[in-house]
Amino acid sequence: MFQGFHTMLWLKAKHLRAELNFWLWAAGVDLDDARDMTERLYLLYVALLASAAIGACWVWVLGLVTGAAYTEGAEMAAITADIARAIAAGALIIPACAAALWLISAGWRAPWSPSAPDAAWLAQLPVTIGGWSTLELAPHLLARGAIAGCIGYLIASYIVTAAGHEATIASCLPYALTAGLVTGAGYALAWLVGEVRMRAGRAKRYVLALCGAAAGAALVALSIASFPLVESFAGLLLPGGAPALPIIFAIALLAMAIAASALFAQRLTPALITREAATDASLYAVRRMAVYNPKLYKSLVKSQRAAFRRPLGRMPRAQGQAAVLARAVISTVRHYEALPQVILAGAFVAPMGVLLLSGALASQSAAFGLLGGEIGARIMGAASWIMLAVSGFDAQRSLARVFLADTRNRFMRDHLPVPTPILFVLGTLPAVAVALAASAVVSVASVFLGTSVIDAFALFFGDAALVVTLACCGAMAAEDPTRNRARLSCEAMTAIAAALCALAAALAPAGCYAPAFWVVTALVAAISCTRM
């Protein structure tokens, strides 16, 4: 399994040396240029200074933790000791939570992504994939185990101090060692899932991510359900317990996870390794940019990964007018910043227009003697809705946005083999459909609020008429200003349509405002077609 281990170890040492040299460069040190005595003394000075700073910070944090555990009074000390034992058990569940997150991440993207030069070089040598994977896993395990061990040492110091003992290395080391080993086992298990992801390919990452999420959730749930067992397990690691058994269990768990990942790595082929390395091949030369220009590096990573993604859906092939409709659908979806205005047009502007223009509120105003009776209420309702539609949401141009973009692009318009009225219908149909869906939701909600089904249907048909009217008014913005005739703006057409709707609803029989609105819609559509 470890054939060619010397070669892999030499390559890993080269990588670690380059990594260390990069970070020492921030302190003005270069390992390649440290040849004379002065450079070596300065390198020793930097190492001693960094070690002293890390040691001082550790002693300071350790003093804060142990100081927080000291209490005054026997009763308070007993309460603190009980809380400390619960913390000791709860802290051992944190590695399970971290392993759950690592499982999800490894199922989506393998944690081991070799660089393209390494994959190309080692593919020509007699090295085993299992040994290579284990050698790549070792630094990650040491880093995460060291971090978890330090955190576990701080927790153990708090617990031991709260129990009335002195926080020595001998009393805190078993808990810290177990925390580091269990965390390493969780990451090794995620590494195994990452190898499965490499073998399955990018097409199976959705399934593996879902399976990893399910396994992680089950692991966390099992850890929480077995909290009494975890609490007794943590008690063995504290002073007065038998820490040998938990440490041996954690070592066995870590060894099994590493062995499983190494054995499964033998099933990987150099072709799979090369395919995985090709994902970040162009990022290898600029990966140092993540330190001094992280925004640019993130954009490069995002663009590189997006190049390998497959589209979630495809539009069907279409010809003639269906192609124009398909393009309108794509344009409506891609310009998602205009969708809130389209939804508001169907969910708010149109229903408010029905209430204000149909005279539904005029009878109540006449009953209370407000706004000069029913006629004054209708006039004020029409004026209020005109102000809402014109200066509030710009719903007209949002509904006709695709049509306006096509007509203003003269080069594209000349190559579309459809008349302008048909182009208007096909271009505004997706946005109108979205607005009508929002109006349907409002109508259904009104039924649950106590409105009768007949009134809800009338509300929806009135909303539909006003939505189509607003779209026709938005098309007036595409009128060519170079023509020698009076220009009717979008806002003016909206005001005229609102006045006609209010008049038609006043003349129509009670409850028949929706057909009256559709008569006005047909008139506005005819005017718009003549001026396109």
Side-chain angles (χ1 to χ4, degrees):
M1 179 181 294
F2 291 97
Q3 183 181 3
F5 182 74
H6 182 269
T7 303
M8 293 184 292
L9 192 62
W10 174 84
L11 180 62
K12 192 62 181 177
K14 285 288 186 181
H15 285 322
L16 293 177
R17 190 178 188 277
E19 197 79 20
L20 179 61
N21 196 18
F22 175 76
W23 292 107
L24 287 176
W25 172 77
V29 180
D30 194 347
L31 295 177
D32 298 330
D33 295 336
R35 299 176 181 178
D36 57 352
M37 185 60 66
T38 305
E39 293 289 341
R40 293 178 180 177
L41 288 176
Y42 181 71
L43 180 61
L44 179 62
Y45 164 74
V46 171
L48 292 176
L49 185 62
S51 302
I54 294 174
C57 292
W58 171 256
V59 172
W60 176 67
V61 173
L62 186 62
L64 290 178
V65 171
T66 55
Y70 286 112
T71 55
E72 296 180 358
E75 184 179 357
M76 194 57 140
I79 296 175
T80 306
D82 294 337
I83 295 175
R85 283 192 292 270
I87 292 175
L92 291 181
I93 301 179
I94 296 178
C97 299
L101 296 178
W102 289 332
L103 287 175
I104 299 173
S105 177
W108 181 259
R109 180 174 173 82
W112 176 33
S113 181
S115 63
D118 291 351
W121 184 65
L122 291 177
Q124 306 174 18
L125 301 177
V127 297
T128 58
I129 305 298
W132 188 11
S133 174
T134 306
L135 188 62
E136 292 289 338
L137 173 61
H140 297 277
L141 282 183
L142 291 176
R144 285 160 178 79
I147 295 173
C150 292
I151 297 175
Y153 192 92
L154 294 175
I155 295 173
S157 301
Y158 179 83
I159 297 168
V160 170
T161 306
H165 303 284
E166 185 180 357
T168 61
I169 297 178
S171 61
C172 300
L173 188 59
Y175 189 93
L177 184 61
T178 304
L181 291 173
V182 173
T183 303
Y187 188 78
L189 183 62
W191 191 273
L192 174 62
V193 175
E195 292 174 344
V196 176
R197 154 71 178 79
M198 293 176 67
R199 182 175 177 82
R202 294 176 58 87
K204 301 294 182 62
R205 58 179 178 172
Y206 297 99
V207 178
L208 289 176
L210 291 176
C211 293
L219 180 61
V220 174
L222 181 62
S223 302
I224 296 175
S226 58
F227 188 79
L229 181 61
V230 176
E231 190 173 4
S232 61
F233 186 84
L236 297 175
L237 298 171
L238 300 177
L245 182 61
I247 292 176
I248 293 174
F249 175 76
I251 292 175
L253 192 64
L254 177 61
M256 287 189 295
I258 295 176
S261 65
L263 290 176
F264 188 84
Q266 291 295 108
R267 304 183 63 181
L268 300 176
T269 60
L272 294 175
I273 300 295
T274 305
R275 182 185 65 183
E276 192 68 25
T279 305
D280 297 331
S282 60
L283 297 175
Y284 177 74
V286 295
R287 60 194 178 104
R288 302 296 187 188
M289 193 183 296
V291 178
Y292 56 86
N293 197 348
K295 291 184 178 180
L296 180 58
Y297 182 76
K298 287 181 181 179
S299 64
L300 291 175
V301 171
K302 184 178 180 180
S303 61
Q304 179 69 15
R305 292 178 181 177
F308 287 88
R309 292 174 184 168
R310 294 180 180 180
L312 296 178
R314 296 180 180 179
M315 290 295 298
R317 293 184 178 180
Q319 296 179 356
Q321 297 181 1
V324 179
L325 178 61
R327 181 191 171 278
V329 173
I330 295 174
S331 180
T332 303
V333 174
R334 290 185 63 182
H335 292 82
Y336 51 85
E337 69 277 0
L339 287 178
Q341 296 177 340
V342 174
I343 295 174
L344 284 175
F348 181 72
V349 178
M352 288 298 297
V354 171
L355 293 177
L356 295 174
L357 300 178
S358 64
L361 302 178
S363 58
Q364 299 179 4
S365 300
F368 290 102
L370 300 177
L371 302 176
E374 184 176 356
I375 298 177
R378 289 182 180 275
I379 296 174
M380 288 298 297
S384 301
W385 189 75
I386 290 172
M387 294 178 61
L388 176 67
V390 170
S391 61
F393 300 96
D394 198 15
Q396 307 93 318
R397 291 181 177 84
S398 299
L399 291 170
R401 185 194 57 79
V402 178
F403 171 72
L404 295 177
D406 290 342
T407 54
R408 288 170 181 172
N409 188 352
R410 304 306 304 173
F411 175 78
M412 181 177 181
R413 177 65 190 94
D414 295 339
H415 290 79
L416 291 177
V418 290
T420 302
I422 296 179
L423 180 63
F424 165 71
V425 174
L426 297 177
T428 58
L429 185 59
V432 170
V434 173
L436 291 180
S439 299
V441 172
V442 173
S443 301
V444 173
S446 66
V447 174
F448 288 99
L449 294 176
T451 306
S452 63
V453 178
I454 298 177
D455 292 340
F457 272 110
L459 175 63
F460 175 73
F461 285 119
D463 291 345
L466 291 182
V467 166
V468 176
T469 302
L470 290 174
C472 294
C473 293
M476 300 300 295
E479 186 179 1
D480 190 2
T482 59
R483 293 182 179 181
N484 190 15
R485 62 179 180 182
R487 185 170 180 266
L488 190 61
S489 65
C490 172
E491 290 76 11
M493 194 66 209
T494 304
I496 295 173
L500 292 177
C501 286
L503 180 60
L507 297 178
C512 297
Y513 61 87
F517 284 177
W518 277 108
V519 172
V520 177
T521 300
L523 179 60
V524 173
I527 296 174
S528 299
C529 290
T530 57
R531 303 184 71 88
M532 288 181 182

